[in-house]
Amino acid sequence: MKAFDYKFQHFDPVKSLKSAPKSEMYVPGHRTCAGCGPALNYRLVAKVAGRDTIFIGPTGCMYVANSSYLCTPYAVSWIHAQITNGGAVASGIEAAYKVLARKGKYDGPFPNIIVMAGDGGSVDIGLQAASAMMYRGHKVLFICYDNESYANTGIQTSPTTPYGANTTFTPPGKEIPEGKTLFPKDPPQLFIGGHPLLKYVATTSVAYPLDLMNKVRKALSYEGPTFLHMLTPCPKGWQFSEKLTIEMGKLAIETGMWSLYEWENGAYKYTHIPKKYKPVGEYMKHQGRFRHLKEEHIAKMQAFVDEKIQKVKAAAKPVEAVPAEPKKN
Amino acid sequence: MADEKMLTGCSAAAQALKLAEVEVICSYPIRPYTAIMMELAKMVANGELDAEFVHGEGEHAQLSVVLGASACGARAVTGSAGVGVTYAFELYSPLAGGRYPVQMTIADRTLDPPGDFGSEHTDAMSVRDQGWIIGWASTPQEVFDNTLMGYRIGEDPRIMLPQMTCQDGYFISHIPDKVKVASLSQVKEFLPPYSAPHPISTTCPVSHGPQIRPDQGAPMDAQRAETFLELPGVIKEATKDFNRIFGRNYDPFLEKYRLEDAEIAFFIQGAHSNTCRMAVDALRKQGVKAGMSRLRWVRPWPTTEIAESLGHVKAIGTIETSTSYGGAMRGGNLIHELRASLYDLDERPLTTSFMAGLGGETVWLEDFEFMAKVLLQTVKDKRTSKYVYWIGFED
Amino acid sequence: MSKKLPEFGKINVPHDRSVPFGAITPAPVHQQDLFKTSNWRIVRPVIDNDKCTRCLTCYIACPDSCWSFNDEEEVMEWNAGFCKGCQICIHECPSDALSAVPELDFADGVDRLEKPF
């Protein structure tokens, strides 16, 4: 096929909070819990994606809580998808815009097409559609907002729920003292390396908004599929006071439970690497979902995280976090 | 004007879709409809059709992809057969209730278990309750025609519903027959471009499908129900236009073959109606007043038209090429709604049903002779003695 | 056929119960007034403009976008209509400029909405 100019959008990095776009594309007025990590995440993503954006919302908290009832907080076009098919519906939208552009039925900038899927809708029931979309090379940003459970249905275990977490499908009991016995899937690792047209994968945390917004913009500047694994602490599911959402997003990185990195052109680039990692207990002690764990369970978690830290240290080269975070007093 | 070619049902569908200038195609292989997608793939590869050909990862994905495409205002098509149709089930209601007028082209296949490539209608029939427009062709020509009619009816601004255009696997999908392939100008006269009322757009942002409360459910359901009340009128208009532009002679809902003075009649849909017509002719030669009523659209079911055109018949037998286990008549599907349509008549025809062609078996002239004998006996006895007969298993 | 067949009739959805076509609704512009959440909170954040360094942390930390910077007056503005009282902003403020004050302390506190949604 001969080359056609689809008018893909390009984005400048956000240099400071002050220079970030002022308009909200995810506006106040939604039924998410007070302190909802995924809601904050959605707001930041929408803010930097801008007006020429289409969101696909597979069923989950970011569908039900946002759209109760017959009203949504999305100032840009949005469509509900099944929890099973976020990647597929997005593929159809991308295909439609491509053909409509070629036929002269649409001549605006090619919209950002963003799937906002939870962990279940990304790597459990939605995994097939996500993978196929990346394989086919559609220009879609697939976001996994990870609150580490099927939260909207009342907190059930998902493949990203941490070991030892108390969920309603993994309650601790006499027979099963730790609650969840399985260690989680690693979403970026599912996609990295196996999809030839997938060129950019990154992780983010709501505690680092500039880093987050810039990774979104970077992803949206690619002309093919991209994937973001975004940590979005959940006060209700993790059982912590709702004012600590951002603090949890920071402690996750400080303890090694979560790492911030980009995978681009086949290479890993880690940032925000703690000089000295805090013990996982520092993170887990705030969260009621871990309250039942004994020393031996926490030790198991520490061992798991230590292995991850080794991988980070092996892959990491010293990198300046760009752009600089605002200085705190 | 029109080119006459020898085409299989699959080719006929592909040719019609090309003339309809479909914009997004989502494929996945499953016998016996795959050839439709193979032909479309060639057209796209050769530049004969400017469309996005998306390789779906499965039938569930196929229906999801076309949903997204249709929401943006692109004319979309997908297709399947057998268990592929049932794998996609989750999407049928969202597509119909979301009012995305995609077309699903189906070449029927018996459902598992186990694998059986032969044709049965149960695959598409199982979608009857979801709010789709569903109908069967009986020849490759009719496949071609229904494909165009499907979009015209489904995309009508008063309707906006997805359509299943079905053909019997193998008998229609793979056996060539004469097809008048229309010209692009004829198609353009018949089929206006698709215009979504509130597409997913960057200039006029909308939210498709926010959560509703239970008390908003009934009004939501009522929307589809209301549309189905208007639908028969739109089908009549479209069929009239079609006949005029393309020189055909379709009744919008029922092909009535030698029915006006019939005392016994066969009620049938799909491929075996071709044999049925021959059987009717043979019976007439023997002095039996036989006729055939062939159903073109199972949804919307033509309740009134059936009562009006079959009310005078003394005994009607449905040919069931699908199963409804545990259903009221313990047989197939057509008998239930046929009886329901005739129920309010002062004088009700006697009705029974014949399981025939299941698994993709041929239905022979001898089978229709047997069915006629049963119907004639029914007339003589003035009562139905059995709800269902299994052709080939009866003495 | 002499007996009249039954009618299909019409479906009359009352106007106050109607649902938009295909459940397609218009997008909001600046805020979604059909879902105000002001009556969720039991405390509200109160700002001390002398302590505030205009670092914009509260602005970027709010899941409900309730803080914005007023360019002309150079102060942070708070959206009373939607703040849920989660206290993230209070917790994250690096200069102690925000404090949590009970809603009942305010004359316009405890915003009673006519219906929940």
Side-chain angles (χ1 to χ4, degrees), chain C residues 34-109:
Chain C
L34 292 173
F35 211 90
K36 292 204 123 139
T37 49
S38 49
N39 65 342
W40 290 26
R41 59 178 179 263
I42 53 177
V43 297
R44 68 167 72 171
V46 171
I47 193 163
D48 180 341
N49 281 313
D50 294 325
K51 287 191 176 156
C52 173
T53 62
R54 284 43 171 191
C55 70
L56 298 178
T57 299
C58 57
Y59 150 75
I60 208 68
C62 179
D64 298 88
S65 321
C66 286
W67 284 108
S68 55
F69 184 63
N70 184 322
D71 286 304
E72 277 133 40
E73 303 187 19
E74 295 191 323
V75 285
M76 299 306 298
E77 273 178 357
W78 176 72
N79 192 333
F82 294 92
C83 173
K84 293 168 181 163
C86 73
Q87 302 188 54
I88 289 179
C89 56
I90 299 167
H91 187 78
E92 292 296 313
C93 175
S95 31
D96 236 10
L98 288 168
S99 38
V101 181
E103 266 297 281
L104 289 168
D105 284 5
F106 296 90
D108 66 336

Side-chain angles (χ1 to χ4, degrees), chain A residues 81-92:
Chain A
Q82 307 307 115
I83 192 174
T84 51
N85 67 8
V89 173
S91 300

Side-chain angles (χ1 to χ4, degrees), chain A:
Chain A
M1 255 175 169
K2 51 179 188 280
F4 181 86
D5 178 17
Y6 289 106
K7 302 197 187 131
F8 294 133
Q9 298 176 67
H10 292 96
F11 296 94
D12 294 322
V14 179
K15 294 219 161 68
S16 65
L17 293 181
K18 205 171 160 75
S19 66
K22 285 201 165 55
S23 300
E24 304 291 345
M25 296 295 138
Y26 176 87
V27 304
H30 41 87
R31 200 165 70 110
T32 61
C33 298
C36 173
L40 173 57
N41 191 67
Y42 217 142
R43 178 194 164 209
L44 297 174
V45 171
K47 185 185 261 295
V48 289
R51 214 161 277 286
D52 292 308
T53 301
I54 296 168
F55 278 108
I56 292 97
T59 307
C61 273
M62 289 300 98
Y63 166 57
V64 179
N66 277 333
S67 67
S68 311
Y69 291 98
L70 268 185
C71 64
T72 70
Y74 316 113
V76 296
S77 274
W78 165 91
I79 182 168
H80 176 219
Q82 307 307 115
I83 192 174
T84 51
N85 67 8
V89 173
S91 300
I93 291 174
E94 191 257 15
Y97 268 87
K98 286 222 162 114
V99 66
L100 292 174
R102 284 201 305 273
K103 287 180 138 186
K105 290 186 184 177
Y106 175 75
D107 65 355
F110 199 85
N112 299 314
I113 299 169
I114 306 176
V115 181
M116 185 64 83
D119 34 285
S122 305
V123 297
D124 205 12
I125 195 171
L127 179 58
Q128 177 177 284
S131 169
M133 180 212 94
M134 293 176 197
Y135 152 69
R136 287 191 298 260
H138 296 279
K139 187 193 184 315
V140 173
L141 164 55
F142 196 104
I143 289 179
C144 169
Y145 70 87
D146 196 352
N147 52 13
E148 300 181 346
S149 75
Y150 281 100
N152 190 248
T153 40
I155 321 298
Q156 286 79 42
T157 184
S158 86
T160 61
T161 306
Y163 162 78
N166 178 350
T167 72
T168 60
F169 281 176
T170 58
K174 258 197 309 233
E175 288 295 314
I176 311 175
E178 60 267 72
K180 188 172 194 239
T181 57
L182 297 171
F183 283 86
K185 286 190 189 181
D186 188 338
Q189 294 307 308
L190 294 176
F191 300 119
I192 287 173
H195 300 81
L197 293 171
L198 178 68
K199 303 279 197 243
Y200 181 76
V201 170
T203 65
T204 68
S205 162
V206 288
Y208 300 91
L210 275 177
D211 175 81
L212 185 157
M213 290 192 285
N214 282 310
K215 283 168 173 167
V216 170
R217 281 204 154 170
K218 206 164 176 188
L220 290 173
S221 298
Y222 274 84
E223 287 180 12
T226 48
F227 178 71
L228 289 178
H229 187 206
M230 310 184 84
L231 178 65
T232 55
C234 169
K236 175 169 169 60
W238 303 11
Q239 298 170 46
F240 60 81
S241 163
E242 60 264 22
K243 63 181 165 202
L244 299 179
T245 299
I246 290 183
E247 188 167 328
M248 290 304 112
K250 198 179 295 169
L251 273 171
I253 281 136
E254 292 173 341
T255 54
M257 289 284 295
W258 189 274
S259 301
L260 288 177
Y261 64 87
E262 295 171 294
W263 175 83
E264 193 174 12
N265 297 319
Y268 287 90
K269 194 163 65 171
Y270 283 84
T271 60
H272 301 80
I273 305 171
K275 286 204 171 59
K276 183 166 165 28
Y277 283 89
K278 295 182 178 162
V280 295
E282 288 298 302
Y283 172 71
M284 295 165 79
K285 72 185 185 194
H286 298 282
Q287 300 171 35
R289 62 178 173 161
F290 296 124
R291 193 186 307 124
H292 58 284
L293 295 179
K294 302 277 183 292
E295 288 288 320
E296 68 213 66
H297 306 128
I298 301 190
K300 242 176 138 174
M301 178 74 99
Q302 188 66 62
F304 171 71
V305 169
D306 285 343
E307 224 184 285
K308 285 213 289 181
I309 290 171
Q310 289 317 306
K311 287 204 182 107
V312 172
K313 288 188 169 151
K317 297 176 182 75
V319 169
E320 176 75 17
V322 174
E325 302 291 323
K327 293 226 175 344
K328 296 236 160 78
N329 290 346

